[in-house]
C-alpha cells in the first residue's frame, strides 16, 4: 500500500471541518479540534489561503472560511456528473434506434477513455466497459478526438509515442493517421474497421461544448458479422444525430457534415 502524506491528510482534515455547521472558524479552534500544534496549523492555513482553498478574515480574532477554489472544483465535478448523465441519456436513444453498442468517450493524452456505454440488443454483442482505455489512433471515437486538436497540440501529444498496432488493420503510420484526421475534420465523422478489434468496426462523430471544443466523441460499434455497405450510411447518420443532440445539451453547436 502506498504511503499517505501526513501534511496532505492534515490539510484535507482542515477543509473537511467545514462540512459541519461552521461557516467560519478561528485558527485556535481548528488547531484544537484536530489536535494540531499551533505552528503546524498556522503553516497549513497559510498555504490553503495562498492557494485560495480558504479565505482569511481579520478582526478581533482571525477566522477562516472556504475559498473560491473549492467552488471551482465543485462546479467542475458537477459538470462531469451532468455530462455523464446527458451522455447516458443520448446514448440510450441512439442505441434504441440502431440496436448496436453505443459509446461516449473522452481523450486522455493519446488514449480514449469510455465514459458511457449502452449495449446492443442483439444476441451477438461487443464486450466493453465504462472506464476502458484504448489507443486513440485505433478507434473511430479516438480519431474524432485527435482530429479536434490543434495541430501543435496533436504533434506534442504524439511526440515520443509509437503508434502501436492492436490488429493487422491498425494505423501505424503518422502520415496515414494525419491524412485520416484531415478527412475527419472535413466530414465531421470517423470510421474504423477492425483496427482495435478484428471482429468489430465503429463509426463516430464529435461532441462539441459551448466553447467550440471537441470534448467527447460518440460511436456506434458493430460486429463485423453485421457489416454491410448498405448499413454504414444509416449508422453514420444516427451517430451524427446523437453527437449533435449531446452537443446541443452541452450548449455547443453541432459539427456540420
Amino acid at each position: 500500500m502506498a504511503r499517505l502524506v501526513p501534511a496532505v491528510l492534515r490539510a484535507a482534515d482542515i477543509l473537511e471541518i467545514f462540512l459541519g455547521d461552521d461557516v467560519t472558524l478561528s485558527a485556535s479552534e481548528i488547531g484544537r479540534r484536530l489536535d494540531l500544534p499551533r505552528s503546524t496549523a498556522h503553516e497549513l492555513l497559510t498555504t490553503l489561503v495562498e492557494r485560495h482553498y480558504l479565505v482569511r478574515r481579520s478582526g478581533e480574532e482571525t477566522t477562516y472560511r472556504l475559498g473560491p477554489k473549492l467552488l471551482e472544483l465543485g462546479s467542475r465535478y458537477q459538470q462531469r456528473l451532468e455530462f455523464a448523465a446527458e451522455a447516458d441519456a443520448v446514448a440510450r436513444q441512439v442505441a434504441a434506434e440502431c440496436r448496436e453498442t453505443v459509446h461516449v468517450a473522452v481523450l486522455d493524452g493519446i488514449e480514449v477513455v469510455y465514459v458511457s456505454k449502452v449495449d446492443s440488443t442483439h444476441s451477438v454483442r461487443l464486450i466493453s466497459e465504462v472506464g476502458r482505455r484504448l489507443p486513440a489512433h485505433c478507434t473511430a471515437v479516438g480519431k474524432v478526438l485527435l482530429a479536434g486538436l490543434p495541430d501543435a497540440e496533436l504533434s506534442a501529444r504524439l511526440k515520443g509515442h509509437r503508434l502501436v498496432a492492436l490488429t493487422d488493420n491498425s494505423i501505424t503510420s503518422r502520415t496515414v493517421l494525419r491524412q485520416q484526421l484531415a478527412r475527419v475534420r472535413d466530414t465531421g465523422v470517423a470510421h474504423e474497421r477492425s483496427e482495435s478489434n478484428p471482429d468489430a468496426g465503429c463509426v463516430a462523430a464529435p461532441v462539441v461544448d459551448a466553447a467550440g471544443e471537441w470534448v467527447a466523441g460518440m460511436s456506434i460499434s458493430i460486429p463485423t458479422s453485421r457489416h454491410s455497405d448498405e448499413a454504414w450510411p444509416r449508422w453514420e447518420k444516427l451517430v451524427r444525430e446523437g453527437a449533435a443532440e449531446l452537443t446541443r445539451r452541452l450548449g455547443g453547436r453541432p459539427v456540420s457534415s
Side-chain angles (χ1 to χ4, degrees), residues 103 105-107 110-114 132-147 164 166-167 169-171 177 180-181 184 189-197 200-205 217-221:
H103 293 101
V106 296
L107 189 65
I110 57 171
E111 294 182 320
V112 291
V113 181
Y114 293 97
R132 186 185 184 194
R133 291 172 174 267
L134 284 174
H137 68 280
C138 291
T139 69
V141 71
K143 293 176 189 178
V144 159
L145 292 167
L146 291 176
V164 299
L166 298 184
T167 73
N169 291 334
S170 299
I171 297 172
L177 177 62
Q180 290 202 13
L181 297 185
V184 173
V189 68
H191 296 86
E192 171 262 307
R193 298 200 187 192
S194 303
E195 294 175 39
S196 63
N197 180 339
C202 298
V203 59
M218 175 174 286
S219 70
I220 298 174
S221 301

Side-chain angles (χ1 to χ4, degrees), residues 102-170:
V102 177
H103 293 101
V104 177
V106 296
L107 189 65
D108 183 16
I110 57 171
E111 294 182 320
V112 291
V113 181
Y114 293 97
V115 298
S116 178
K117 177 203 173 187
V118 179
D119 281 316
S120 166
T121 56
H122 291 286
S123 57
V124 177
R125 65 185 68 177
L126 301 174
I127 298 176
S128 61
E129 58 187 8
V130 171
R132 186 185 184 194
R133 291 172 174 267
L134 284 174
H137 68 280
C138 291
T139 69
V141 71
K143 293 176 189 178
V144 159
L145 292 167
L146 291 176
L149 297 175
D151 190 64
E153 184 175 352
L154 174 64
S155 296
R157 293 198 186 204
L158 292 176
K159 185 177 180 179
H161 292 279
R162 182 172 62 90
L163 300 182
V164 299
L166 298 184
T167 73
D168 291 341
N169 291 334
S170 299

Side-chain angles (χ1 to χ4, degrees), residues 177-234:
L177 177 62
R178 287 184 179 275
Q179 289 172 348
Q180 290 202 13
L181 297 185
R183 179 167 177 76
V184 173
R185 295 186 195 102
D186 289 339
T187 63
V189 68
H191 296 86
E192 171 262 307
R193 298 200 187 192
S194 303
E195 294 175 39
S196 63
N197 180 339
D199 300 318
C202 298
V203 59
V207 176
V208 188
D209 68 5
E213 296 185 5
W214 293 17
V215 294
M218 175 174 286
S219 70
I220 298 174
S221 301
I222 313 100
T224 52
S225 60
R226 290 197 289 274
H227 286 188
S228 71
D229 291 339
E230 295 76 18
W232 279 97
R234 177 171 178 268

Side-chain angles (χ1 to χ4, degrees), residues 26-66:
S26 66
S28 60
E29 178 64 15
I30 292 171
R32 184 186 65 78
R33 292 192 188 185
L34 298 178
D35 194 25
L36 293 174
R38 182 171 181 175
S39 60
T40 300
H42 175 75
E43 290 173 355
L44 289 168
L45 290 168
T46 299
T47 302
L48 291 169
V49 168
E50 179 67 24
R51 297 301 298 269
H52 307 292
Y53 290 102
L54 292 177
V55 173
R56 182 188 293 114
R57 284 182 171 178
S58 299
E60 291 185 8
E61 184 176 20
T62 301
T63 58
Y64 298 84
R65 62 180 175 83
L66 295 178

